[in-house]
């Protein structure tokens, strides 16, 4: 038994990239982080932006914003409705909606079925809430510049309803709705150029939706090429293996599993197929993630973690320890590094930002288990 364990450990240590000469390059030391608990408030979304225009980043989460650089001074934004263990606030998208030079934000919730923006008053008064639409149950919401005009579009993930893009009208606070998929969206949403035509397509669990040349005046085309299950929001669209084709990275928001899907294309027929590769099958509730260069080497890492009590105690693995991780592509596979283990979950919507001006990207994570900052100390 001891020999078998030694053999397994030896095999695990070989999970490094091998260069053309057959040698094993020295892996960079894992990043180190220091933890700061900002609040025990149980909102599941947080964003970093300058609320009071003092050129210092602040934190915005649920009913409060926390003034930088220390983040101990808390300001009230306004009420957030509570439904059992949930606060109905499932995203924090910075967006100067009314163009007054003060950053507002967009959010929405599952229970209220309403997409809203909250207006920054520029003082300590309560932020006014404006309804954008009532699209149905909102799992969470994301923003992406679909048409390349420099203004992001708002796209809620509404699993039980059609996929709709909300486009901001320049010079005011209005949004126009554009339905691009007349079927249930499903749990999961991603953005990126799938077919290499230079346009931003959308990914849903059962396929991808191809953008036309005029995304808001022509029909989109649905390609049912895969099934990602109860996929993360976002699903990452990126060329993982640098072969010139866009791949997908998706976690299971309410089950075990974190995988990447390699795009293959037949040179003769042009037919597209997808090969599933496991990244981490041993953790559940990878509900949200980001693709960002957090170690400063010029290549992006996958940053994600287990959401704490996503469906309370009703998801597989709900009682397993929480964790926040980054996964680094080594040329052939992903290697896992720990940011936090057994003490903090990833929530629904987190942010990666340099909070101190150090040049290193820090991680800010909300959730039912509190609001935390993980300061990136590099390899020191």
């Amino acid at each position: 038994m001891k020999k078998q364990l030694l053999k397994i450990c030896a095999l695990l240590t070989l999970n490094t990239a091998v260069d053309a000469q057959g040698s094993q390059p020295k892996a960079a030391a894992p990043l180190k982080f220091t933890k700061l608990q900002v609040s025990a408030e149980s909102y599941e979304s947080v964003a970093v932006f300058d609320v009071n225009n003092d050129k210092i980043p602040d934190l915005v989460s649920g009913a409060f914003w926390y003034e930088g650089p220390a983040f101990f001074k808390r300001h009230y934004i306004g009420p957030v409705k509570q439904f059992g263990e949930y606060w109905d606030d499932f995203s924090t998208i910075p967006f100067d909606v009314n163009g007054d030079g003060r950053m507002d934000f967009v959010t929405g919730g599952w229970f209220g079925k309403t997409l809203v923006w909250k207006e920054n008053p520029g003082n300590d008064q309560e932020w006014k809430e404006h309804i954008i639409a009532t699209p149905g149950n909102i799992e969470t919401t994301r923003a992406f510049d679909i048409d390349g005009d420099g203004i992001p579009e708002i796209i809620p993930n509404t699993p039980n309803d059609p996929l709709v893009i909300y486009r901001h009208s320049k010079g005011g606070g209005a949004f126009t709705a554009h339905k691009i998929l007349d079927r249930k969206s499903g749990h999961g949403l991603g953005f990126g150029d799938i077919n290499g035509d230079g346009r931003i397509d959308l990914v849903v669990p059962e396929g991808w939706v191809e953008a036309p040349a005029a995304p808001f005046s022509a029909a989109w085309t649905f390609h049912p090429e895969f099934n990602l299950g109860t996929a993360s929001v976002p699903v990452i669209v990126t060329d993982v293996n640098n072969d010139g084709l866009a791949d997908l990275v998706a976690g299971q928001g309410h089950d075990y599993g974190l995988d990447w899907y390699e795009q293959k294309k037949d040179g003769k027929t042009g037919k597209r197929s997808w090969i599933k590769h496991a990244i981490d099958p041993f953790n559940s509730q990878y509900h949200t993630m980001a693709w960002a260069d957090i170690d400063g080497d010029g290549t992006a890492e996958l940053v994600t973690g287990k959401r704490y009590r996503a469906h309370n105690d009703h998801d597989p693995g709900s009682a397993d320890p929480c964790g926040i991780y980054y996964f680094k592509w080594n040329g052939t596979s992903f290697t896992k590094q720990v940011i936090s283990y057994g003490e903090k979950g990833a929530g629904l919507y987190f942010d990666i930002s340099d909070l101190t001006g150090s040049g290193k990207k820090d991680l800010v994570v909300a959730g039912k288990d509190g609001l935390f900052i993980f300061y990136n100390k590099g390899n020191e």
Side-chain angles (χ1 to χ4, degrees):
M1 181 68 179
K2 185 176 181 180
K3 289 183 178 179
Q4 289 178 328
L5 290 173
L6 290 173
K7 184 178 180 181
I8 291 171
C9 290
L11 289 172
L12 289 174
T13 62
L14 293 177
N15 189 25
T16 57
V18 178
D19 64 20
Q21 286 73 38
S23 62
Q24 293 175 352
K26 185 179 179 180
L31 296 174
K32 295 180 181 179
F33 294 83
T34 59
K35 179 184 68 175
L36 173 68
Q37 182 172 3
V38 177
S39 175
E41 296 292 340
S42 56
Y43 308 100
E44 292 194 75
S45 178
V46 62
V48 178
F49 60 88
D50 183 4
V51 172
N52 54 357
N53 285 351
D54 64 355
K55 303 189 184 306
I56 298 173
D58 308 300
L59 309 184
V60 177
S61 181
F64 302 98
W65 69 274
Y66 303 82
E67 188 173 342
F71 307 110
F72 292 127
K73 186 176 181 180
R74 189 175 76 170
H75 303 260
Y76 186 59
I77 290 174
V80 177
K81 290 184 179 180
Q82 186 175 13
F83 296 84
E85 290 190 29
Y86 298 94
W87 296 93
D88 211 26
D89 177 73
F90 286 6
S91 64
T92 313
I93 300 172
F95 199 133
D96 182 5
V97 177
N98 57 1
D100 65 356
R102 296 190 291 266
M103 192 63 73
D104 316 300
F105 70 95
V106 176
T107 185
W110 180 267
F111 302 94
K113 303 181 180 181
T114 305
L115 185 67
V116 303
W117 69 278
K118 297 192 177 184
E119 183 178 356
N120 182 349
N123 51 40
D124 272 339
Q125 294 181 356
E126 195 169 303
W127 296 37
K128 185 177 180 181
E129 184 174 284
H130 303 265
I131 294 176
I132 298 172
T134 51
N137 301 113
I138 299 172
E139 184 70 21
T140 183
T141 303
R142 292 298 185 272
F144 209 97
D145 186 2
I146 300 296
D147 57 0
D149 66 352
I151 301 174
E153 277 66 54
I154 302 298
I155 308 100
N157 180 211
T158 51
N160 300 319
D161 292 277
L163 183 58
V164 178
I165 296 174
Y166 295 89
R167 190 184 189 196
H168 183 251
S169 300
K170 295 180 181 179
F175 291 82
T176 55
H178 301 267
K179 185 187 294 184
I180 67 166
L181 185 61
D182 194 13
R183 53 175 288 168
K184 288 185 177 181
S185 301
H187 190 298
L189 183 64
F191 315 90
D193 184 3
I194 295 292
N195 57 355
D197 64 359
R199 302 168 191 160
I200 301 299
D201 309 303
L202 270 67
V203 175
V204 292
E206 295 183 351
W208 63 283
V209 195
E210 181 179 355
F216 300 114
S217 58
W220 293 55
T221 304
F222 181 57
H223 301 272
E225 295 179 356
F226 44 74
N227 193 324
L228 305 179
T230 54
S232 54
V233 185
V235 173
I236 303 297
V237 179
T238 188
D239 184 1
V240 171
N241 56 356
N242 295 312
D243 65 352
L245 298 174
D247 309 303
L248 308 176
V249 181
Q252 292 303 306
H254 298 286
D255 207 338
Y256 282 94
L258 174 64
D259 307 278
W260 74 279
Y261 295 76
E262 181 182 4
Q263 182 180 163
K264 292 288 189 181
K265 197 170 182 181
D266 188 290
K268 294 182 179 179
T269 66
K271 185 178 180 180
R272 187 177 290 103
S273 61
W274 303 85
I275 301 173
K276 181 179 178 180
H277 303 273
I279 300 174
D280 182 5
F282 304 113
N283 280 273
S284 73
Q285 298 166 85
Y286 281 117
H287 203 290
T288 189
M289 57 187 59
W291 187 252
D293 180 14
I294 63 168
D295 63 3
D297 68 350
T299 60
E301 287 75 46
L302 174 64
V303 184
T304 184
K306 178 188 173 184
R307 181 181 168 197
Y308 176 65
R309 293 177 62 78
H311 280 165
N312 301 335
D313 290 324
H314 302 293
D315 283 329
S318 181
D320 296 347
C322 286
I324 302 172
Y325 316 102
Y326 71 94
F327 295 81
K328 193 166 184 64
W329 177 254
N330 64 21
T332 56
S333 63
F334 285 93
T335 57
K336 182 179 183 179
Q337 302 292 348
V338 175
I339 296 173
S340 173
Y341 182 75
E343 59 183 358
K344 183 71 186 87
L348 269 170
Y349 189 111
F350 62 75
D351 208 341
I352 296 173
S353 182
D354 181 1
L355 296 176
T356 65
S358 67
K360 300 181 180 72
K361 292 182 179 179
D362 309 302
L363 180 64
V364 186
V365 188
K368 296 174 184 174
D369 47 358
L371 174 60
F372 286 77
I373 299 172
F374 293 92
Y375 287 105
N376 184 349
K377 309 306 288 187
N379 304 116
E380 63 184 46

